Amino acid sequence: MVTIAKEVNFSQAEVPLKGTVVGAGDGHRYLPRAYIVSARKREAADTVTLTLKPKDSITDACPLPEPGQFNMLYVFAVGEIPVSVCGVESDGAFRHTIRRVGAVSAALCDSKVGSTVGVRGAYGVGWPVARMKQRSLIILAGGLGLAPLRMLILQVVRSRVDFADITICIGARTPSDVPFLREIRSWQRLKCDAGLFDVRLIVDRADRDWRGEVGVVTALLPRSLTAPELSLAMICGPEVMMRHAASGLVRLGLSRSDIYLSLERNMKCAFGQCGHCQFNRYFVCRDGPIFSFEKVASLLNVKDL
Amino acid sequence: MTLRTIDDQIADHPFFAGLGSDFLHFIAGCGRNRYVEGGEYLAHEGDDANAFFLIRIGKISIETNVPGRGPVVLETFGAGDIAGWSWICPPYKWAFDVVAREAASFIEINGLCLRGKCEADPVLGYAVLKRFAGMMSERLRDTRLRLLDLYGNDRKRS
């Protein structure tokens, strides 16, 4: 799969790149680098978070990603898949949360601490961090959609005073499927003088032991917004949920250009050359995975696209 | 401190936003303030459904008992939400239990009283029904989304 790198032109003009390069030049982005699994944490029955450290040295590491970007993770002799980066440690290690879906993700989920995987990246367009300052933020995550938003949320928590009201809505299937639960609880305990900081969690179904909310995640959206023109929304989760959430936000007065979604398609090369993730005039790997609703609203209802 | 009447409280509730003061007064005539502790039942499945609840503070849930599993929470509602529409349609029986998840304050509207007023004044009846139809439509959409089990791992192959 990685041999495709021989067939493409790596010029900056053709492949717009983002992120801070820690290591060598940009050709670097197209070759897997050896990373060691330094930690493995089980998030749910079929989901784990891997911490990956550069095997040799930080100078031989992939560029640091921006929130919303993804890496290609390569399990030797099995294959390669795109996985969003859910965190970067202070030592440059990446955190990736992976759900067991196919052969490669299963191999990643089963990888032992100390084993080696290949990493190349960071790829794609991330969340609109530059547009977020001084605005009210609505962050909505469904299921494992929280993983691509986690870096963004951590950044928002660190720089809380840079933003107005912050509403974070998180949905999951059942209480035992909630990813990053301990971290969510810590966000819920955060107190802040600078405007609203509301973190709400809801599950699709639960028994009585669950003291939280039960329902669909879109039910957590605010009933009204005092200044929708100053709000910015970031959504990640199943596409059906994102469509309904984005439509609900439009009804609340948000402009389509102020709503961002993270799309998922079958990505292979990760830099817009192979065409696997073509989405009408876009390549999800290169032009996304984060898109404004304005760009993709009309495409989301096209069947088989 | 000004004492807020039920008229005021109903007028402030999002469910009745935009309704004329005459209608609000009619509806308020069927209402009373209630407070319950967590764990208290507001309604039992199968009982006569003669009320609905405008939640002001706290959290309540719609539940049903599943043999072998015990009470299952179907949906929770909080401040600004409404619970109960069995009073509108025959056979006027509660379809599920309604339970306070925590201490809650709400306005209980007597469904028999409001049904009588709606029958007598079809304009009021239509205004009330439109609001309930909108709420039911939202709940049906949300329920359909949950039926999709979107977070389930249906792509799992191995």
Side-chain angles (χ1 to χ4, degrees), chain B residues 74-119:
Chain B
L74 300 170
E75 203 161 9
T76 52
F77 302 112
D81 286 328
I82 187 166
W85 63 59
S86 301
W87 65 278
I88 301 179
C89 311
Y92 310 118
K93 301 285 183 191
W94 285 106
F96 300 105
D97 296 331
V98 184
V99 188
R101 301 275 285 171
E102 56 190 47
S105 294
F106 55 90
I107 299 165
E108 178 180 305
I109 306 284
N110 184 315
L112 281 176
C113 164
L114 187 57
R115 234 170 33 225
K117 289 184 180 181
C118 289
E119 294 286 355

Side-chain angles (χ1 to χ4, degrees), chain A residues 26-139:
Chain A
D26 279 335
H28 194 85
R29 288 170 182 267
Y30 310 105
L31 294 172
R33 301 282 145 176
Y35 275 67
I36 298 286
V37 178
S38 62
R40 180 183 183 276
K41 180 173 177 274
R42 185 174 176 273
E43 300 284 353
D46 58 356
T47 307
V48 299
T49 296
L50 300 180
T51 305
L52 306 176
K53 289 177 79 167
K55 187 170 187 177
D56 299 322
S57 72
I58 193 72
T59 55
D60 198 30
C62 294
L64 295 180
E66 295 178 352
Q69 287 191 297
F70 66 95
N71 282 331
M72 296 298 291
L73 303 189
Y74 184 35
V75 183
F76 300 108
V78 181
E80 191 183 44
I81 54 169
V83 184
S84 59
V85 185
C86 75
V88 177
E89 310 285 302
S90 54
D91 61 356
F94 298 141
R95 284 176 74 174
H96 288 280
T97 299
I98 302 145
R99 189 179 202 184
R100 183 185 296 270
V101 176
V104 184
S105 59
L108 282 165
C109 285
D110 293 339
S111 55
K112 305 261 188 303
V113 171
S115 60
T116 302
V117 297
V119 179
R120 61 184 176 98
Y123 294 117
V125 177
W127 299 106
V129 176
R131 294 194 64 207
M132 286 166 41
K133 280 204 168 184
Q134 308 307 325
R135 303 186 77 162
S136 289
L137 307 180
I138 300 167
I139 298 173

Side-chain angles (χ1 to χ4, degrees), chain A residues 46 99-102 142-143 172-173 204 206 208 210-217 223 238 240 244 251 264, chain B residues 41 59 63 71-76 79-81 101 141-142 145-146 149-153 155-158:
Chain A
D46 58 356
R99 189 179 202 184
R100 183 185 296 270
V101 176
R173 191 184 194 204
D204 277 354
R208 262 194 175 172
W210 172 252
R211 302 308 305 164
E213 298 186 59
V214 179
V216 71
V217 67
R223 281 200 184 78
V240 178
H244 284 270
R251 284 196 295 276
E264 188 179 297
Chain B
Y41 278 74
K59 187 160 53 182
E63 300 185 2
V72 173
V73 182
L74 300 170
E75 203 161 9
T76 52
D81 286 328
R101 301 275 285 171
R141 183 196 60 207
D142 290 353
L145 284 176
R146 288 162 72 192
D149 194 17
L150 291 168
Y151 311 133
N153 199 351
R155 290 180 306 167
K156 188 172 171 179
R157 290 185 290 272
S158 58

Side-chain angles (χ1 to χ4, degrees), chain A residues 42-291:
Chain A
R42 185 174 176 273
E43 300 284 353
D46 58 356
T47 307
V48 299
T49 296
L50 300 180
T51 305
L52 306 176
K53 289 177 79 167
K55 187 170 187 177
D56 299 322
S57 72
I58 193 72
T59 55
D60 198 30
C62 294
L64 295 180
E66 295 178 352
Q69 287 191 297
F70 66 95
N71 282 331
M72 296 298 291
L73 303 189
Y74 184 35
V75 183
F76 300 108
V78 181
E80 191 183 44
I81 54 169
V83 184
S84 59
V85 185
C86 75
V88 177
E89 310 285 302
S90 54
D91 61 356
F94 298 141
R95 284 176 74 174
H96 288 280
T97 299
I98 302 145
R99 189 179 202 184
R100 183 185 296 270
V101 176
V104 184
S105 59
L108 282 165
C109 285
D110 293 339
S111 55
K112 305 261 188 303
V113 171
S115 60
T116 302
V117 297
V119 179
R120 61 184 176 98
Y123 294 117
V125 177
W127 299 106
V129 176
R131 294 194 64 207
M132 286 166 41
K133 280 204 168 184
Q134 308 307 325
R135 303 186 77 162
S136 289
L137 307 180
I138 300 167
I139 298 173
L140 193 139
L144 213 54
L146 183 56
L149 283 163
R150 181 178 170 273
M151 259 180 90
L152 183 82
I153 293 171
L154 293 177
Q155 189 165 322
V156 165
V157 167
R158 273 197 304 272
S159 314
R160 173 66 189 90
V161 292
D162 289 345
F163 313 103
D165 290 344
I166 296 171
T167 305
I168 301 173
C169 309
I170 300 164
R173 191 184 194 204
T174 68
S176 61
D177 293 316
V178 180
F180 314 114
L181 182 58
R182 188 176 293 182
E183 208 163 14
I184 292 169
R185 295 297 187 213
S186 74
W187 298 336
Q188 287 178 320
R189 286 192 295 271
L190 283 175
K191 300 281 181 233
C192 185
D193 298 330
L196 176 79
F197 189 84
D198 189 18
V199 181
R200 299 179 68 185
L201 175 60
I202 195 165
V203 297
D204 277 354
R205 46 182 177 271
D207 60 24
R208 262 194 175 172
D209 295 336
W210 172 252
R211 302 308 305 164
E213 298 186 59
V214 179
V216 71
V217 67
T218 48
L220 297 181
L221 287 174
R223 281 200 184 78
S224 61
L225 296 171
T226 46
E229 69 282 3
L230 297 178
S231 299
L232 204 65
M234 276 70 67
I235 312 172
C236 188
E239 201 166 297
V240 178
M241 178 280 278
M242 290 198 292
R243 280 205 317 260
H244 284 270
S247 301
L249 288 163
V250 169
R251 284 196 295 276
L252 286 172
L254 259 79
S255 157
R256 287 179 171 204
S257 59
D258 288 334
I259 301 169
Y260 288 85
L261 321 173
S262 177
L263 295 187
E264 188 179 297
R265 287 294 183 275
N266 181 22
M267 294 188 254
K268 291 291 183 191
C269 74
F271 40 89
Q273 298 292 327
C274 74
H276 278 86
C277 64
Q278 186 168 3
F279 186 60
N280 196 281
R281 60 188 172 276
Y282 303 114
F283 291 113
V284 173
C285 68
R286 185 193 65 191
D287 306 314
I290 313 301
F291 291 92

